[in-house]
């Protein structure tokens, strides 16, 4: 409830630092967004739109040296990088952090890259004089030796290789509770429409017949049978709900989610009958600027990764 429906107040361990967050709280938020991504259609829409508008059909690597180009092409093929790069971007939007592990074959020199789950990075050591100078990362994970079924906890420090990472913030943190509000609002509308669509059959019997008090009564298919007597009458009250007001309530929540994610709501709701991205980009909207900024950010991150591979 703290992350899915309530207010997200961090800093319980630091009363004088209201906006600070501990590593444990960061990991809780990351797990909450991951859960929402797989269960909430609007959360999934936000992440997928961010991902596909940012990286689109994949990266284009420009290399002047033919030998270097061949090495990188072989690396991309061996690591299925077209798919992996999208996964890196997607999970960065989900978790707010991206840690890449490099596994080098000591004989051939071939490199494999894997994403390290942020929940396994327990601490980041930085220079005492400059917090942006990273020195090492505290990595805590379960390890299973090759050829065995045993596992144990491995706790190591790994050196910094130029990550642009101290500790991140989950991008969806500002709108997590509003996603829950919209989900609740939508479910309430579904329940209401479901109840209003039911058909009630009223059976009126004149006089006192045995069927009047018979408990076993079968209704027509799809309906509910109620029996009225001279002493018992039934009626149904039609809910007096202004549909226009309800629609405005839903739009208000969507606009709030759009404001917190820089997504126009017709993109958030996958409205194919509305404006397309080309027109949005031509208009130079905040969304297009947001996407350009993320493309520059990931461009630098992937360039750093490919240089490390070389």
């Amino acid at each position: 409830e703290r992350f899915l429906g309530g207010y997200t107040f961090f800093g319980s361990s630091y009363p004088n630092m209201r906006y600070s967050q501990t590593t444990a709280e960061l990991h809780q938020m990351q797990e909450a967004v991951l859960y929402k991504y797989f269960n909430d259609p609007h959360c999934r829409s936000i992440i997928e739109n961010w991902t596909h508008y940012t990286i689109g059909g994949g990266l284009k690597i420009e290399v002047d040296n033919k030998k270097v180009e061949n090495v990188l092409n072989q690396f991309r093929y061996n690591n299925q990088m077209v798919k992996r790069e999208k996964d890196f971007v997607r999970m960065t939007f989900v978790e707010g952090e991206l840690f890449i592990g490099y596994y080098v074959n000591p004989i051939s020199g071939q490199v494999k890259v894997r994403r390290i789950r942020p929940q396994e990075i327990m601490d980041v050591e930085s220079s005492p004089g400059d917090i942006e100078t990273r020195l090492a990362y505290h990595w805590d994970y379960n390890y299973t030796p090759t050829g065995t079924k045993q596992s144990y906890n491995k706790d190591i420090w790994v050196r910094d290789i130029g990550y642009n990472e101290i500790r991140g913030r989950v991008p969806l943190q500002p709108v997590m509770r509003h996603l829950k509000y919209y989900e609740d609002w939508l479910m309430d509308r579904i329940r209401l429409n479901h109840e209003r669509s039911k058909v009630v059959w009223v059976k009126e019997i004149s006089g006192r017949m045995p069927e009047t008090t018979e408990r076993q009564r079968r209704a027509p298919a799809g309906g509910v049978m109620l029996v009225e007597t001279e002493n018992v009458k039934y009626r149904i009250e039609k809910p007096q709900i202004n549909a226009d007001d309800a629609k405005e309530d839903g739009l208000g929540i969507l606009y709030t989610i759009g404001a917190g994610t820089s997504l126009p709501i017709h993109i958030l709701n996958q409205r194919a009958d509305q404006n397309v991205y080309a027109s949005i980009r031509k208009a130079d909207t905040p969304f297009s600027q947001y996407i350009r900024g993320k493309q520059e950010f990931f461009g630098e991150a992937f360039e750093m990764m490919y240089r490390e591979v070389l």
Side-chain angles (χ1 to χ4, degrees), residues 3 8 29 33-34 36-37 42-44 46-47 50 92-96 169-179 257 260-261 263 290:
F3 296 117
T8 55
M29 176 63 82
V33 176
L34 192 62
K36 292 285 282 183
Y37 171 75
H42 286 88
C43 179
R44 191 179 189 90
I46 293 169
I47 298 298
W50 278 346
T92 305
F93 282 131
V94 170
E95 298 174 321
R169 283 278 187 175
V170 175
L172 282 180
Q173 181 175 331
V175 299
M176 282 292 283
R177 60 192 176 99
H178 296 89
L179 286 169
I257 296 173
T261 59
L263 276 173
Y290 177 84

mmCIF file of all heavy atoms in Angstrom, residues 3 8 29 33-34 36-37 42-44 46-47 50 92-96 169-179 257 260-261 263 290:
data_model
loop_
_atom_site.group_PDB
_atom_site.id
_atom_site.type_symbol
_atom_site.label_atom_id
_atom_site.label_comp_id
_atom_site.label_asym_id
_atom_site.label_seq_id
_atom_site.Cartn_x
_atom_site.Cartn_y
_atom_site.Cartn_z
ATOM 1 N N PHE A 3 3.571 1.876 -1.567
ATOM 2 C CA PHE A 3 4.080 2.256 -2.877
ATOM 3 C C PHE A 3 3.019 2.163 -3.968
ATOM 4 O O PHE A 3 3.130 2.817 -4.989
ATOM 5 C CB PHE A 3 5.269 1.378 -3.257
ATOM 6 C CG PHE A 3 6.449 1.555 -2.345
ATOM 7 C CD1 PHE A 3 6.905 0.508 -1.571
ATOM 8 C CD2 PHE A 3 7.081 2.779 -2.262
ATOM 9 C CE1 PHE A 3 7.978 0.680 -0.723
ATOM 10 C CE2 PHE A 3 8.162 2.957 -1.426
ATOM 11 C CZ PHE A 3 8.606 1.908 -0.647
ATOM 12 N N THR A 8 4.233 8.257 -0.878
ATOM 13 C CA THR A 8 5.584 7.699 -0.822
ATOM 14 C C THR A 8 6.494 8.663 -0.085
ATOM 15 O O THR A 8 7.150 9.503 -0.689
ATOM 16 C CB THR A 8 6.131 7.441 -2.240
ATOM 17 O OG1 THR A 8 6.051 8.667 -2.973
ATOM 18 C CG2 THR A 8 5.319 6.388 -2.946
ATOM 19 N N MET A 29 10.777 0.192 -3.823
ATOM 20 C CA MET A 29 10.113 0.911 -4.904
ATOM 21 C C MET A 29 10.365 0.236 -6.247
ATOM 22 O O MET A 29 9.464 0.118 -7.083
ATOM 23 C CB MET A 29 10.593 2.366 -4.938
ATOM 24 C CG MET A 29 10.027 3.185 -6.084
ATOM 25 S SD MET A 29 8.237 3.382 -6.022
ATOM 26 C CE MET A 29 8.098 4.734 -4.859
ATOM 27 N N VAL A 33 7.386 -1.178 -8.766
ATOM 28 C CA VAL A 33 7.196 -0.781 -10.163
ATOM 29 C C VAL A 33 7.279 -2.010 -11.069
ATOM 30 O O VAL A 33 6.522 -2.128 -12.043
ATOM 31 C CB VAL A 33 8.233 0.272 -10.585
ATOM 32 C CG1 VAL A 33 8.082 0.610 -12.068
ATOM 33 C CG2 VAL A 33 8.071 1.533 -9.754
ATOM 34 N N LEU A 34 8.178 -2.933 -10.754
ATOM 35 C CA LEU A 34 8.288 -4.153 -11.558
ATOM 36 C C LEU A 34 6.990 -4.939 -11.496
ATOM 37 O O LEU A 34 6.502 -5.457 -12.511
ATOM 38 C CB LEU A 34 9.460 -5.002 -11.057
ATOM 39 C CG LEU A 34 9.890 -6.169 -11.945
ATOM 40 C CD1 LEU A 34 10.369 -5.682 -13.305
ATOM 41 C CD2 LEU A 34 10.981 -6.994 -11.267
ATOM 42 N N LYS A 36 3.994 -3.646 -10.887
ATOM 43 C CA LYS A 36 2.988 -2.888 -11.624
ATOM 44 C C LYS A 36 3.172 -3.042 -13.125
ATOM 45 O O LYS A 36 2.189 -3.098 -13.874
ATOM 46 C CB LYS A 36 3.076 -1.399 -11.249
ATOM 47 C CG LYS A 36 2.659 -1.082 -9.833
ATOM 48 C CD LYS A 36 1.161 -1.131 -9.649
ATOM 49 C CE LYS A 36 0.492 0.109 -10.191
ATOM 50 N NZ LYS A 36 -0.976 0.103 -9.941
ATOM 51 N N TYR A 37 4.419 -3.124 -13.579
ATOM 52 C CA TYR A 37 4.692 -3.254 -15.014
ATOM 53 C C TYR A 37 4.050 -4.514 -15.575
ATOM 54 O O TYR A 37 3.526 -4.518 -16.692
ATOM 55 C CB TYR A 37 6.201 -3.276 -15.257
ATOM 56 C CG TYR A 37 6.592 -3.617 -16.675
ATOM 57 C CD1 TYR A 37 6.449 -2.681 -17.704
ATOM 58 C CD2 TYR A 37 7.082 -4.876 -17.005
ATOM 59 C CE1 TYR A 37 6.790 -2.987 -19.010
ATOM 60 C CE2 TYR A 37 7.429 -5.190 -18.313
ATOM 61 C CZ TYR A 37 7.280 -4.251 -19.306
ATOM 62 O OH TYR A 37 7.617 -4.575 -20.607
ATOM 63 N N HIS A 42 -1.644 0.458 -17.777
ATOM 64 C CA HIS A 42 -1.170 1.816 -17.981
ATOM 65 C C HIS A 42 0.296 1.965 -17.590
ATOM 66 O O HIS A 42 1.042 2.694 -18.240
ATOM 67 C CB HIS A 42 -2.037 2.806 -17.198
ATOM 68 C CG HIS A 42 -3.386 3.014 -17.804
ATOM 69 N ND1 HIS A 42 -4.472 2.218 -17.510
ATOM 70 C CD2 HIS A 42 -3.825 3.902 -18.735
ATOM 71 C CE1 HIS A 42 -5.514 2.620 -18.209
ATOM 72 N NE2 HIS A 42 -5.154 3.636 -18.963
ATOM 73 N N CYS A 43 0.706 1.278 -16.538
ATOM 74 C CA CYS A 43 2.131 1.283 -16.184
ATOM 75 C C CYS A 43 2.945 0.667 -17.315
ATOM 76 O O CYS A 43 3.989 1.197 -17.702
ATOM 77 C CB CYS A 43 2.348 0.509 -14.884
ATOM 78 S SG CYS A 43 4.071 0.418 -14.357
ATOM 79 N N ARG A 44 2.460 -0.426 -17.854
ATOM 80 C CA ARG A 44 3.163 -1.073 -18.963
ATOM 81 C C ARG A 44 3.211 -0.157 -20.183
ATOM 82 O O ARG A 44 4.227 -0.075 -20.881
ATOM 83 C CB ARG A 44 2.479 -2.391 -19.318
ATOM 84 C CG ARG A 44 3.289 -3.253 -20.281
ATOM 85 C CD ARG A 44 2.578 -4.563 -20.580
ATOM 86 N NE ARG A 44 3.434 -5.468 -21.320
ATOM 87 C CZ ARG A 44 4.255 -6.348 -20.775
ATOM 88 N NH1 ARG A 44 4.335 -6.426 -19.449
ATOM 89 N NH2 ARG A 44 5.002 -7.140 -21.499
ATOM 90 N N ILE A 46 3.258 3.127 -20.230
ATOM 91 C CA ILE A 46 4.242 4.190 -20.005
ATOM 92 C C ILE A 46 5.651 3.680 -20.298
ATOM 93 O O ILE A 46 6.416 4.300 -21.050
ATOM 94 C CB ILE A 46 4.155 4.703 -18.561
ATOM 95 C CG1 ILE A 46 2.824 5.426 -18.333
ATOM 96 C CG2 ILE A 46 5.318 5.645 -18.256
ATOM 97 C CD1 ILE A 46 2.536 5.727 -16.874
ATOM 98 N N ILE A 47 6.000 2.529 -19.719
ATOM 99 C CA ILE A 47 7.352 1.980 -19.875
ATOM 100 C C ILE A 47 7.624 1.633 -21.336
ATOM 101 O O ILE A 47 8.699 1.948 -21.879
ATOM 102 C CB ILE A 47 7.533 0.736 -18.990
ATOM 103 C CG1 ILE A 47 7.378 1.103 -17.506
ATOM 104 C CG2 ILE A 47 8.904 0.099 -19.234
ATOM 105 C CD1 ILE A 47 8.382 2.084 -16.987
ATOM 106 N N TRP A 50 8.025 4.881 -23.463
ATOM 107 C CA TRP A 50 9.351 5.443 -23.206
ATOM 108 C C TRP A 50 10.429 4.649 -23.936
ATOM 109 O O TRP A 50 11.311 5.213 -24.578
ATOM 110 C CB TRP A 50 9.639 5.422 -21.706
ATOM 111 C CG TRP A 50 9.056 6.558 -20.934
ATOM 112 C CD1 TRP A 50 8.529 7.723 -21.441
ATOM 113 C CD2 TRP A 50 8.957 6.660 -19.519
ATOM 114 N NE1 TRP A 50 8.099 8.532 -20.424
ATOM 115 C CE2 TRP A 50 8.354 7.911 -19.233
ATOM 116 C CE3 TRP A 50 9.310 5.819 -18.465
ATOM 117 C CZ2 TRP A 50 8.111 8.332 -17.921
ATOM 118 C CZ3 TRP A 50 9.069 6.245 -17.170
ATOM 119 C CH2 TRP A 50 8.472 7.479 -16.899
ATOM 120 N N THR A 92 15.909 0.112 -17.207
ATOM 121 C CA THR A 92 16.344 1.374 -16.612
ATOM 122 C C THR A 92 15.145 2.263 -16.319
ATOM 123 O O THR A 92 15.076 2.923 -15.282
ATOM 124 C CB THR A 92 17.328 2.111 -17.534
ATOM 125 O OG1 THR A 92 18.418 1.238 -17.854
ATOM 126 C CG2 THR A 92 17.887 3.360 -16.855
ATOM 127 N N PHE A 93 14.171 2.283 -17.240
ATOM 128 C CA PHE A 93 12.957 3.047 -16.990
ATOM 129 C C PHE A 93 12.146 2.437 -15.847
ATOM 130 O O PHE A 93 11.464 3.152 -15.105
ATOM 131 C CB PHE A 93 12.098 3.113 -18.249
ATOM 132 C CG PHE A 93 12.576 4.118 -19.263
ATOM 133 C CD1 PHE A 93 12.716 3.777 -20.597
ATOM 134 C CD2 PHE A 93 12.872 5.416 -18.885
ATOM 135 C CE1 PHE A 93 13.152 4.697 -21.537
ATOM 136 C CE2 PHE A 93 13.315 6.352 -19.814
ATOM 137 C CZ PHE A 93 13.449 5.992 -21.146
ATOM 138 N N VAL A 94 12.185 1.120 -15.704
ATOM 139 C CA VAL A 94 11.454 0.460 -14.619
ATOM 140 C C VAL A 94 12.131 0.718 -13.278
ATOM 141 O O VAL A 94 11.479 1.104 -12.298
ATOM 142 C CB VAL A 94 11.341 -1.056 -14.877
ATOM 143 C CG1 VAL A 94 10.795 -1.782 -13.641
ATOM 144 C CG2 VAL A 94 10.435 -1.341 -16.066
ATOM 145 N N GLU A 95 13.448 0.503 -13.219
ATOM 146 C CA GLU A 95 14.145 0.497 -11.934
ATOM 147 C C GLU A 95 14.950 1.765 -11.650
ATOM 148 O O GLU A 95 15.396 1.977 -10.526
ATOM 149 C CB GLU A 95 15.065 -0.718 -11.866
ATOM 150 C CG GLU A 95 14.294 -2.037 -11.945
ATOM 151 C CD GLU A 95 15.192 -3.250 -12.028
ATOM 152 O OE1 GLU A 95 16.222 -3.171 -12.727
ATOM 153 O OE2 GLU A 95 14.876 -4.274 -11.402
ATOM 154 N N GLY A 96 15.156 2.589 -12.655
ATOM 155 C CA GLY A 96 15.893 3.820 -12.428
ATOM 156 C C GLY A 96 17.393 3.644 -12.357
ATOM 157 O O GLY A 96 18.114 4.618 -12.087
ATOM 158 N N ARG A 169 16.884 7.036 -9.083
ATOM 159 C CA ARG A 169 15.508 7.233 -8.637
ATOM 160 C C ARG A 169 14.585 6.563 -9.638
ATOM 161 O O ARG A 169 14.790 6.665 -10.843
ATOM 162 C CB ARG A 169 15.174 8.721 -8.559
ATOM 163 C CG ARG A 169 15.735 9.443 -7.347
ATOM 164 C CD ARG A 169 14.861 9.252 -6.136
ATOM 165 N NE ARG A 169 15.299 10.060 -5.017
ATOM 166 C CZ ARG A 169 14.656 10.147 -3.866
ATOM 167 N NH1 ARG A 169 13.536 9.463 -3.697
ATOM 168 N NH2 ARG A 169 15.113 10.891 -2.870
ATOM 169 N N VAL A 170 13.560 5.910 -9.142
ATOM 170 C CA VAL A 170 12.602 5.242 -10.014
ATOM 171 C C VAL A 170 11.803 6.295 -10.778
ATOM 172 O O VAL A 170 11.153 7.151 -10.154
ATOM 173 C CB VAL A 170 11.663 4.348 -9.191
ATOM 174 C CG1 VAL A 170 10.591 3.741 -10.078
ATOM 175 C CG2 VAL A 170 12.455 3.250 -8.495
ATOM 176 N N PRO A 171 11.834 6.297 -12.124
ATOM 177 C CA PRO A 171 11.142 7.343 -12.889
ATOM 178 C C PRO A 171 9.638 7.430 -12.615
ATOM 179 O O PRO A 171 9.061 8.503 -12.704
ATOM 180 C CB PRO A 171 11.416 6.941 -14.350
ATOM 181 C CG PRO A 171 12.681 6.160 -14.306
ATOM 182 C CD PRO A 171 12.629 5.408 -12.996
ATOM 183 N N LEU A 172 9.013 6.288 -12.280
ATOM 184 C CA LEU A 172 7.569 6.290 -12.058
ATOM 185 C C LEU A 172 7.174 6.632 -10.628
ATOM 186 O O LEU A 172 5.984 6.618 -10.303
ATOM 187 C CB LEU A 172 6.978 4.912 -12.417
ATOM 188 C CG LEU A 172 6.792 4.631 -13.907
ATOM 189 C CD1 LEU A 172 6.213 3.243 -14.112
ATOM 190 C CD2 LEU A 172 5.893 5.664 -14.556
ATOM 191 N N GLN A 173 8.131 6.961 -9.797
ATOM 192 C CA GLN A 173 7.822 7.262 -8.402
ATOM 193 C C GLN A 173 6.768 8.365 -8.241
ATOM 194 O O GLN A 173 5.872 8.241 -7.407
ATOM 195 C CB GLN A 173 9.105 7.633 -7.649
ATOM 196 C CG GLN A 173 8.888 7.934 -6.176
ATOM 197 C CD GLN A 173 10.192 8.179 -5.451
ATOM 198 O OE1 GLN A 173 11.242 7.652 -5.829
ATOM 199 N NE2 GLN A 173 10.161 8.976 -4.399
ATOM 200 N N PRO A 174 6.793 9.454 -9.032
ATOM 201 C CA PRO A 174 5.796 10.512 -8.822
ATOM 202 C C PRO A 174 4.361 10.098 -9.136
ATOM 203 O O PRO A 174 3.426 10.769 -8.675
ATOM 204 C CB PRO A 174 6.257 11.630 -9.778
ATOM 205 C CG PRO A 174 7.685 11.336 -10.058
ATOM 206 C CD PRO A 174 7.803 9.851 -10.037
ATOM 207 N N VAL A 175 4.164 9.045 -9.936
ATOM 208 C CA VAL A 175 2.802 8.727 -10.387
ATOM 209 C C VAL A 175 2.322 7.359 -9.909
ATOM 210 O O VAL A 175 1.244 6.917 -10.314
ATOM 211 C CB VAL A 175 2.705 8.781 -11.934
ATOM 212 C CG1 VAL A 175 3.032 10.167 -12.432
ATOM 213 C CG2 VAL A 175 3.597 7.737 -12.588
ATOM 214 N N MET A 176 3.084 6.685 -9.057
ATOM 215 C CA MET A 176 2.674 5.339 -8.633
ATOM 216 C C MET A 176 1.301 5.343 -7.968
ATOM 217 O O MET A 176 0.442 4.511 -8.267
ATOM 218 C CB MET A 176 3.727 4.754 -7.694
ATOM 219 C CG MET A 176 4.955 4.236 -8.406
ATOM 220 S SD MET A 176 4.597 2.768 -9.394
ATOM 221 C CE MET A 176 4.521 1.542 -8.100
ATOM 222 N N ARG A 177 1.069 6.267 -7.047
ATOM 223 C CA ARG A 177 -0.233 6.276 -6.370
ATOM 224 C C ARG A 177 -1.353 6.717 -7.303
ATOM 225 O O ARG A 177 -2.507 6.291 -7.153
ATOM 226 C CB ARG A 177 -0.185 7.142 -5.112
ATOM 227 C CG ARG A 177 0.163 8.593 -5.311
ATOM 228 C CD ARG A 177 0.462 9.252 -3.955
ATOM 229 N NE ARG A 177 0.892 10.633 -4.098
ATOM 230 C CZ ARG A 177 0.092 11.677 -3.927
ATOM 231 N NH1 ARG A 177 -1.183 11.492 -3.642
ATOM 232 N NH2 ARG A 177 0.560 12.905 -4.055
ATOM 233 N N HIS A 178 -1.029 7.566 -8.306
ATOM 234 C CA HIS A 178 -2.068 7.974 -9.256
ATOM 235 C C HIS A 178 -2.439 6.832 -10.199
ATOM 236 O O HIS A 178 -3.584 6.742 -10.654
ATOM 237 C CB HIS A 178 -1.592 9.205 -10.037
ATOM 238 C CG HIS A 178 -1.395 10.405 -9.164
ATOM 239 N ND1 HIS A 178 -0.203 10.672 -8.539
ATOM 240 C CD2 HIS A 178 -2.253 11.393 -8.794
ATOM 241 C CE1 HIS A 178 -0.322 11.776 -7.830
ATOM 242 N NE2 HIS A 178 -1.548 12.243 -7.971
ATOM 243 N N LEU A 179 -1.486 5.976 -10.519
ATOM 244 C CA LEU A 179 -1.822 4.770 -11.277
ATOM 245 C C LEU A 179 -2.796 3.902 -10.488
ATOM 246 O O LEU A 179 -3.722 3.311 -11.051
ATOM 247 C CB LEU A 179 -0.559 3.979 -11.607
ATOM 248 C CG LEU A 179 0.337 4.554 -12.702
ATOM 249 C CD1 LEU A 179 1.677 3.815 -12.744
ATOM 250 C CD2 LEU A 179 -0.336 4.461 -14.064
ATOM 251 N N ILE A 257 -1.185 11.728 -14.419
ATOM 252 C CA ILE A 257 -0.179 10.717 -14.778
ATOM 253 C C ILE A 257 0.640 11.198 -15.967
ATOM 254 O O ILE A 257 1.872 11.054 -16.012
ATOM 255 C CB ILE A 257 -0.862 9.378 -15.099
ATOM 256 C CG1 ILE A 257 -1.566 8.831 -13.854
ATOM 257 C CG2 ILE A 257 0.147 8.361 -15.625
ATOM 258 C CD1 ILE A 257 -2.415 7.603 -14.109
ATOM 259 N N GLY A 260 3.224 13.711 -14.900
ATOM 260 C CA GLY A 260 4.347 13.123 -14.182
ATOM 261 C C GLY A 260 5.259 12.277 -15.043
ATOM 262 O O GLY A 260 6.351 11.909 -14.607
ATOM 263 N N THR A 261 4.828 11.964 -16.268
ATOM 264 C CA THR A 261 5.627 11.107 -17.147
ATOM 265 C C THR A 261 5.985 11.766 -18.466
ATOM 266 O O THR A 261 6.647 11.147 -19.303
ATOM 267 C CB THR A 261 4.853 9.810 -17.451
ATOM 268 O OG1 THR A 261 3.598 10.134 -18.072
ATOM 269 C CG2 THR A 261 4.601 9.008 -16.180
ATOM 270 N N LEU A 263 4.076 12.255 -20.879
ATOM 271 C CA LEU A 263 3.379 11.535 -21.946
ATOM 272 C C LEU A 263 2.022 12.170 -22.222
ATOM 273 O O LEU A 263 1.214 12.316 -21.303
ATOM 274 C CB LEU A 263 3.163 10.071 -21.561
ATOM 275 C CG LEU A 263 4.290 9.081 -21.814
ATOM 276 C CD1 LEU A 263 3.945 7.733 -21.203
ATOM 277 C CD2 LEU A 263 4.555 8.912 -23.299
ATOM 278 N N TYR A 290 11.741 15.401 -23.989
ATOM 279 C CA TYR A 290 12.052 14.366 -23.003
ATOM 280 C C TYR A 290 12.712 13.164 -23.688
ATOM 281 O O TYR A 290 13.717 12.627 -23.208
ATOM 282 C CB TYR A 290 10.766 13.939 -22.294
ATOM 283 C CG TYR A 290 10.943 12.817 -21.303
ATOM 284 C CD1 TYR A 290 11.354 13.083 -19.998
ATOM 285 C CD2 TYR A 290 10.691 11.493 -21.657
ATOM 286 C CE1 TYR A 290 11.508 12.058 -19.070
ATOM 287 C CE2 TYR A 290 10.845 10.463 -20.739
ATOM 288 C CZ TYR A 290 11.251 10.754 -19.455
ATOM 289 O OH TYR A 290 11.413 9.721 -18.547
#
